[in-house]
């Protein structure tokens, strides 16, 4: 028996000696690492840098997708998104650290904790009051944590950490399945985290109806299995994109580029409604069916144009001052009877259109029903309504070429901007200038150059008809001109319209010349 014990005893002693030496030779415990600095939530923005980025990354030939890609990758957009990504990573690190500290012993103690006893009898008044006080205290603590940004990070649902939670990775998988990821025709760097996130949110928005109706998302929503670091970020992103789209439209109008403005307006519709192509017949049919189901047969949005007038109206000398308002209500056709010929000497002329909204009644009826269902006073619900349309006017000379010295029609608009030291022109890079100069070459101007771009908004949902009036500068060279008027919606799909008006412009006498002629006549008479 002893012969078996001695080898075992020797092995035990040898192991003990090795352990002692290893303990003596092991390095001293490292100093605790300094606590990681929290991410600063502030972002320093530079709107001028965004403007320069947009104007130099867009061309007259840019597509609506090009517009959305440029907006997704502006310097400020990337700064904001990168900050969101940093804050998310901080939340991930905090949650993982908190979960690693939670031991099995603590879990068992939680299971065995006293939950108020086994008794089934009702609590006495003092116990009930104490419970209510504790519940109120917990509620106030949660409200304070939310207000100060000190919420319990372990309760934050994060994709990749919590089972069944959907976020950016889920959206990317769905976009890939729909063949819109990677983004079509995008030439940028998707290895950049902020670029990738913004492009993903863009593609997600353009496929919103598919994603919002996906069974997995419909199931995760009620369970709260939604990663707020992605889905709440998409709400902020949509707001920023909307603002930048408006700014880009103003740039296009300042540059007088019809094609670029047209692409920006299409991008607005795509991003607002959630479609990849405004000209896709299936998408248009889907939207028309959506409007019919929501508002009824008469609910398809449509502007019907009645009488149209382009010229220099004159006031009726026989009309009393108090009758002016009544005259405004009369048909625009009456203006033709009170007009004079447009001349090159006129400072301005008017484009007036009588418009009927065929969807006014259906929209009003549905809005009232919504207000009643939600318990909102109708006047508040009605006042919140906005419907925006955009008018673009181009012109071409039917009996010759546009004069290169004709301001607003045939001159070199970029050269004029340069001479005036226009702020936007100073941002243009040489390649951008060359692209727009090609767009506005004499042979291209009638089709590509805007005389004016002008928005109008309907704030009264019940308004069935009205008159839209805008002012233009007349051509400075006599002749016959054809004006093309394009109307596009900023809210509805497939409802754009276009018409043409022909105008004869006569040679006029400038006011200074008239005064000089009158002065010469007075001298001769004297």
């Amino acid at each position: 028996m002893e012969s078996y014990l001695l080898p075992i005893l020797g092995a035990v002693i040898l192991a003990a000696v090795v352990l002692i030496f290893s303990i003596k030779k092991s390095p001293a415990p490292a100093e605790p690492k300094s606590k990681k600095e929290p991410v600063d939530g502030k972002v320093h923005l530079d709107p001028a840098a965004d403007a320069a980025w947009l104007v130099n990354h867009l061309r007259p030939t840019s597509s609506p997708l090009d517009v959305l890609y440029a907006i997704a990758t502006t310097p400020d957009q990337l700064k904001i998104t990168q900050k969101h990504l940093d804050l998310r990573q901080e939340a991930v690190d905090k949650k993982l650290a908190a979960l690693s500290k939670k031991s099995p012993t603590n879990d068992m103690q939680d299971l065995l904790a006293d939950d108020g006893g086994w008794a089934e009898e009702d609590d006495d008044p003092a116990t009930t009051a104490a419970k209510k006080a504790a519940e109120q205290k917990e509620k106030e603590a949660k409200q304070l944590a939310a207000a100060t940004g000190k919420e319990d990070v372990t309760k934050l649902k994060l994709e990749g950490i919590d089972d069944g939670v959907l976020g950016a990775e889920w959206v990317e998988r769905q976009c890939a399945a729909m063949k819109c990821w990677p983004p079509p025709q995008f030439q940028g760097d998707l290895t950049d985290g902020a670029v990738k996130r913004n492009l993903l949110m863009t593609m997600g928005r353009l496929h919103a109806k598919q994603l919002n109706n996906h069974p997995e998302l419909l199931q995760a929503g009620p369970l709260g299995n939604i990663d707020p670091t992605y889905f709440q970020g998409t709400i902020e992103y949509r707001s920023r994109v909307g603002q930048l789209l408006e700014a880009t439209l103003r740039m296009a109008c300042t540059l007088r580029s019809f094609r670029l403005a047209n692409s920006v307006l299409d991008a607005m519709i795509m991003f607002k409604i959630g479609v990849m192509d405004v000209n896709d017949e299936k998408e248009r049919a889907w939207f028309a069916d959506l409007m019919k189901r929501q508002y009824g047969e008469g609910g398809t949005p449509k502007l019907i144009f009645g009488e149209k007038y382009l010229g220099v109206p004159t006031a009726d000398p026989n009309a009393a001052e108090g009758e002016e308002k009544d005259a405004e209500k009369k048909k625009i056709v009456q203006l033709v009877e009170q007009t004079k010929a447009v001349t090159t000497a006129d400072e301005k002329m008017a484009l007036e259109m009588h418009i009927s909204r065929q969807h006014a009644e259906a929209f009003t009826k549905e809005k009232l029903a919504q207000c009643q269902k939600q318990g909102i006073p109708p006047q508040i619900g009605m006042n919140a309504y906005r419907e925006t349309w955009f008018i673009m006017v181009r012109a071409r000379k039917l009996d010759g070429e546009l004069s290169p010295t004709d301001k607003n029609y045939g001159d070199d608009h970029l050269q004029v901007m340069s001479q005036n030291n226009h702020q936007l022109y100073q941002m243009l890079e040489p390649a951008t200038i060359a692209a727009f100069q090609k767009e506005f070459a004499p042979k291209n101007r009638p089709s590509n150059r805007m005389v004016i771009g002008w928005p109008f908004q309907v704030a009264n949902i019940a308004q069935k008809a009205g008159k839209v009036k805008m002012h233009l500068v007349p051509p400075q060279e006599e002749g016959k001109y054809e004006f093309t008027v394009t109307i596009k919606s900023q809210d509805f799909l497939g409802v754009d319209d276009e018409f043409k008006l022909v105008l004869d412009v006569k040679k006029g006498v400038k006011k200074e010349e008239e005064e000089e002629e009158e002065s010469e006549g007075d001298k001769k008479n004297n």
Side-chain angles (χ1 to χ4, degrees), residues 260-276:
L260 180 55
N262 197 59
S263 287
V264 176
L265 289 164
D266 285 346
M268 286 180 172
I269 292 296
M270 289 164 55
F271 197 77
K272 183 169 188 175
I273 296 176
V275 296
M276 279 289 287

Side-chain angles (χ1 to χ4, degrees), residues 176-191:
M178 291 184 283
K179 302 187 185 307
C180 63
W181 192 263
Q185 304 167 19
F186 180 67
Q187 303 296 323
D189 180 14
L190 286 176
T191 61

Side-chain angles (χ1 to χ4, degrees), residues 87-120:
L87 290 170
R88 184 189 193 278
Q89 187 58 49
E90 182 179 62
V92 169
D93 294 341
K94 287 182 177 179
K95 181 163 186 174
L96 290 175
L99 292 175
S100 66
K101 291 178 181 178
K102 193 172 184 181
S103 66
T105 305
N106 290 337
D107 290 342
M108 186 59 69
Q109 289 173 351
D110 292 339
L111 290 173
L112 297 176
D114 183 10
D115 62 354
W118 295 93
E120 295 182 359

Side-chain angles (χ1 to χ4, degrees), residues 284-306:
R284 290 191 172 203
W286 162 79
F287 183 77
D289 181 65
L290 178 67
M291 293 292 101
K292 286 181 182 179
R293 284 189 282 111
Q294 185 169 355
Y295 298 106
E297 284 298 324
T300 302
K302 180 69 175 176
L303 294 185
I304 300 173
F305 294 90

Side-chain angles (χ1 to χ4, degrees), residues 2 15 46 111 113 149 169 173 204 207 233 292 318 320 340 369 387 399 413 423 446 461:
E2 290 179 359
D46 185 359
L111 290 173
E169 294 178 7
R173 290 195 300 272
H207 295 81
K292 286 181 182 179
N318 299 318
K340 70 182 187 70
E387 179 181 306
D399 52 0
H413 179 60
Q423 184 179 4
I461 190 174

